[in-house]
Amino acid sequence: MHNISITQTKNNKQKPKDEALVFGRQFTDHMFLMDYKEGEGWYDARIVPYQPLEMDPAAMIFHYGQTVFEGLKAYRTKDDTIQLFRPEENVKRLNRSNARMCIPEVDEDIALEAIKTLVDLDRDWVPHKEGTSLYIRPFVIATEPYLGVSASKTYTFMIILSPVGAYYDAGIDPVKIAVENDYIRAVKGGTGEAKTAGNYAGSMIAQENVAKKGYAQVLWLDGHEKKYIEEVGSMNVFFKIDGKVITPHLSGSILPGVTRKSVIQLLMDWGIEVQERPILLSEVLTAHANGLLEEAFGSGTAAVISPIGELFYNETSYVINNHQTGALSKRVYDTLTGIQYGTIVDPHDWIVKVNPK
Ligand code: COI
């Protein structure tokens, strides 16, 4: 046990109705904070009422974007157990992102305990309705007031919680994705495999452009040749071609998704051939032309499993599985969410219960 002080709110907020939940717009009663100072390390782990921060306008986060974040969820089971899905994976990735962004490591045990303690305190905020959950957003920001470009000497690690519904307006129906031909997201050696704000800030222009045309997100191509498939806006991507499943390998420029890793494991459990390797866009389009592109889906914590019903590239639409959710996408979705919500057995010890009663 670590020392996390808790100051409870005197004014519990009104909770949104489960039916009205969207993604990421409402926040719970409490938040976690812990500070860092060079020479002292991390100190003052505390949970306080959810509130705005007072920040120095010169804090380095505002100027140079030295920050990382994570995303995971807490789920309510039928018997009102609150449980997390592979939280230690998120904490490990947080530290890999920290290393890339010159942010000091956070003690993984403290981070996990902070997540569990905060979720436990706000457990009434975990919604009940199918498909809803409590999204957990740990993040670190550079707080030193300094305009020189160098790593900050002070940081704050925070966790906030948001009760959420589906990430996409389409819910779990297939989404339409446009292949991005002008902008790139990341290159090997850049920050693409770190979960850092700049990757998302740099992607917004492409996202805005395709949203105007009715596409949910963009499919990023590699930054060198614009030939290889990397990932979708907030998801990793899988294709089922001629009975086999392929997904881009972790090349150094794509996000190592926890859901991606879990999907690969499930496919292997089922004896389905899954290949992690470079994938040419042309390979997918040729498979489509030959009638061999059976399914495509994205995976992510926020997006869960999101079938892709259409790819748009060079003014041409490529409809996949007649805009329907394919059998494999459904099986992956049902199994993953079944494990997360405790309706099916967790074969890999992925679930961590929060203060079981
Ligand atoms: C997640 O899936 O948790 C993500 O971090 C994607 C996010 C940018 C909404």
Side-chain angles (χ1 to χ4, degrees), residues 42-317:
W42 291 100
Y43 63 96
D44 198 10
R46 60 202 185 275
I47 290 176
V48 298
Y50 189 94
Q51 60 192 283
L53 302 173
E54 188 166 300
M55 298 269 303
D56 193 305
M60 298 184 77
I61 170 62
F62 297 133
H63 305 277
Y64 307 123
Q66 199 194 0
T67 181
V68 299
F69 71 93
E70 268 305 319
L72 67 159
K73 285 173 171 172
Y75 308 85
R76 184 182 291 280
T77 69
K78 285 218 164 55
D79 65 359
D80 278 333
T81 302
I82 305 300
Q83 52 190 33
L84 308 170
F85 183 73
R86 311 189 80 177
E88 65 293 338
E89 291 286 334
N90 293 88
V91 171
K92 279 194 212 136
R93 189 175 60 186
L94 180 83
N95 273 336
R96 291 202 302 274
S97 300
N98 279 339
R100 176 63 180 85
M101 302 308 288
C102 289
I103 295 175
E105 245 186 41
V106 178
D107 181 295
E108 294 181 6
D109 292 337
I110 298 182
L112 268 177
E113 191 177 323
I115 292 170
K116 287 193 217 164
T117 310
L118 183 65
V119 170
D120 190 27
L121 186 64
D122 281 348
R123 64 193 297 132
D124 290 349
W125 283 85
V126 184
H128 294 74
K129 192 171 166 261
E130 201 186 328
T132 64
S133 55
L134 186 69
Y135 188 76
I136 305 167
R137 173 53 63 88
F139 60 110
V140 186
I141 56 170
T143 53
E144 187 187 359
Y146 177 48
L147 297 185
V149 180
S150 62
S152 176
K153 294 185 169 48
T154 61
Y155 299 87
T156 301
F157 171 46
M158 274 175 272
I159 307 172
I160 55 173
L161 307 174
S162 172
V164 297
Y167 187 71
Y168 292 112
D169 295 341
I172 56 167
D173 292 337
V175 289
K176 291 163 54 173
I177 301 286
V179 179
E180 178 55 49
N181 223 354
D182 294 324
Y183 299 103
I184 57 161
R185 177 185 172 275
V187 288
K188 196 169 171 192
T191 58
E193 66 180 0
K195 216 158 163 58
T196 187
N199 293 338
Y200 296 81
S203 75
M204 284 172 192
I205 187 165
Q207 168 67 31
E208 294 236 313
N209 287 343
V210 302
K212 284 182 209 140
K213 298 183 190 151
Y215 294 92
Q217 290 198 338
V218 300
L219 176 70
W220 296 106
L221 299 178
D222 75 277
H224 293 292
E225 301 179 82
K226 292 206 193 135
K227 279 185 181 169
Y228 292 93
I229 290 175
E230 297 243 306
E231 65 183 79
V232 174
S234 64
M235 322 188 278
N236 295 115
V237 66
F238 290 79
F239 299 92
K240 180 169 178 245
I241 296 178
D242 199 16
K244 299 183 191 73
V245 177
I246 52 173
T247 190
H249 68 306
L250 299 178
S251 59
S253 55
I254 78 171
L255 192 84
V258 178
T259 314
R260 171 189 181 278
K261 187 172 173 180
S262 310
V263 169
I264 292 171
Q265 181 64 58
L266 290 176
L267 294 169
M268 292 189 327
D269 291 353
W270 300 335
I272 294 172
E273 183 174 342
V274 42
Q275 300 174 350
E276 294 178 74
R277 61 168 172 81
I279 304 174
L280 285 164
L281 174 65
S282 60
E283 175 184 352
V284 172
L285 300 184
T286 303
H288 183 274
N290 295 336
L292 296 175
L293 176 59
E294 296 161 18
E295 296 184 36
F297 62 88
S299 70
T301 298
V304 197
I305 298 299
S306 191
I308 298 172
E310 184 178 324
L311 283 179
F312 183 76
Y313 178 63
N314 270 350
E315 303 308 315
T316 308
S317 285

